Amino acid sequence: MRPVVKMPKPCQEHDELTIIAAMFATGSHFRVLGRVEWTVDGHLRAIGRRRERLLLGLLLLEMGRPLPMDRLIDLLSDGDERPRSRADLYVDVCRLRASLRQGGCDGSVRLVRSGSTYALTGDPQLVDLHRFTQLVNRAQRCTEPQEVSRLASSALAEWRGAVLEDVASERTRRGVGAAFGELLISAQLLRIAAEFKLRNYWWLTAELARLTEDHPEHEMLLAFRAATLYECGRRADALRVLSSARAQMTGRLGLDLSRELQDLREAILRDDPVDRRIFRCGALDAV
């Protein structure tokens, strides 16, 4: 009998091997989600002062793309008592290069200057943020709930905290990391939508309770939470979630529930099946 050859699923692209290889390969690896860290062969390496770690983090965010010196100076100067100059930036760059050299950074990652820009060259998959982004993008293109959940879960496992959390000011984090915070919500919604479609309701109840506490006005999360509780037979709890959300939105914003949430509330009051089309504006469309 000839062996059965399993063909890859449409969303299992060849670059998945690149992601996995980058996660387990030896050499330099970098983190910018949460603390800025650099490891070589699994061992943590020192990067120097906060300013050098911030410079490294900023360059890692744009791995392979040049950053203008003036932009770097502005981001590095945030919170300083005196304006910074290009001479200060040169000192920071020299110190960072020295840290990378002394820490045993191999030639796969290089800090280079071109004209009035600096860039860190290397494979983006060596950086947790870029692995996170690629996994989320692939999850968004998938059509099978199991694979969406797997990819979104792998992406969320990379997320250890806000971008440059330990080295950048709040203003800088908002400036360079706002889009990644939105991508985090997208990853969470993708996993929730996939698990909801797979009818894994009991697992979702705890996860959605945590997420709606963090984002009390996010209507899609509220809808998933109420629908999940309802599917678990907790009709009163589902109605309580929607009533509480309505009171909070009215009190703080002067707004009523969206049409989708009102339709969901009416379905639960009538004890009707949930019309899953109410999630047409959310992540459920992706799965």
Side-chain angles (χ1 to χ4, degrees):
M1 180 181 295
R2 295 177 62 185
V4 176
V5 178
K6 294 185 178 180
M7 299 300 292
K9 297 178 181 178
C11 54
Q12 288 178 324
E13 302 168 355
H14 295 300
D15 57 5
E16 182 169 6
L17 296 175
T18 303
I19 297 175
I20 295 172
M23 292 172 64
F24 295 101
T26 58
S28 292
H29 291 79
F30 301 90
R31 288 191 175 276
V32 294
L33 295 172
R35 291 182 57 83
V36 174
E37 292 181 351
W38 167 41
T39 60
V40 177
D41 298 338
H43 300 289
L44 198 62
R45 291 291 189 262
I47 306 172
R49 305 177 308 167
R50 183 193 68 85
R51 286 177 58 81
E52 282 87 66
R53 301 205 321 276
L54 176 55
L55 174 59
L56 175 63
L58 293 170
L59 293 168
L60 288 168
L61 292 183
E62 302 292 336
M63 189 76 156
R65 292 189 291 269
L67 269 170
M69 291 182 184
D70 290 343
R71 173 65 172 160
L72 283 170
I73 291 170
D74 178 59
L75 293 171
L76 290 167
S77 300
D78 187 30
D80 288 350
E81 295 181 357
R82 66 175 181 86
R84 293 282 169 172
S85 65
R86 289 199 174 189
D88 296 312
L89 178 59
Y90 297 153
V91 171
D92 295 332
V93 168
C94 288
R95 286 174 171 168
L96 177 56
R97 279 181 171 146
S99 294
L100 293 173
R101 184 173 60 255
Q102 293 166 9
C105 187
D106 54 29
S108 62
V109 177
R110 297 175 58 239
L111 176 51
V112 298
R113 176 182 173 180
S114 177
S116 61
T117 68
Y118 282 106
L120 203 65
T121 64
D123 184 357
Q125 294 304 313
L126 299 177
V127 186
D128 59 352
L129 175 65
H130 299 300
R131 291 195 301 271
F132 167 80
T133 300
Q134 187 170 357
L135 286 164
V136 176
N137 289 339
R138 292 187 54 229
Q140 290 172 332
R141 297 195 300 269
C142 268
T143 57
E144 298 184 12
Q146 294 93 336
E147 188 67 1
V148 172
S149 180
R150 185 186 72 81
L151 289 168
S153 295
S154 296
L156 292 169
E158 296 282 0
W159 192 278
R160 300 184 310 159
V163 171
L164 310 180
E165 191 172 56
D166 66 324
V167 294
S169 68
E170 184 177 350
R171 171 182 169 270
T172 298
R173 288 199 301 273
R174 284 198 307 267
V176 301
F180 301 116
E182 294 172 4
L183 198 60
L184 171 63
I185 294 290
S186 296
Q188 292 166 332
L189 276 171
L190 282 164
R191 181 167 66 172
I192 287 166
E195 294 296 330
F196 187 86
K197 196 165 187 178
L198 293 168
R199 302 182 185 276
N200 292 329
Y201 304 128
W202 291 102
W203 176 84
L204 281 173
T205 53
E207 178 72 1
L208 284 163
R210 180 183 67 82
L211 288 174
T212 52
E213 183 176 351
D214 293 340
H215 308 281
E217 295 170 4
H218 196 293
E219 293 196 349
M220 191 55 62
L221 289 174
L222 290 168
F224 273 121
R225 186 182 181 192
T228 297
L229 289 168
Y230 181 54
E231 295 288 358
C232 288
R234 297 169 59 181
R235 180 169 175 265
D237 289 336
L239 290 171
R240 194 175 299 114
V241 165
L242 294 175
S243 297
S244 176
R246 183 180 187 183
Q248 189 168 5
M249 290 181 185
T250 301
R252 291 187 56 186
L253 305 173
L255 300 175
D256 202 349
L257 296 177
S258 66
R259 182 73 262 169
E260 288 79 8
L261 286 178
Q262 292 182 43
D263 290 346
L264 176 59
R265 182 173 180 273
E266 291 300 318
I268 294 173
L269 284 170
R270 294 192 304 267
D271 210 16
D272 288 344
V274 171
D275 183 355
R276 296 181 180 227
R277 288 177 297 176
I278 66 171
F279 301 113
R280 62 184 178 275
C281 297
L284 195 59
D285 274 351
V287 297

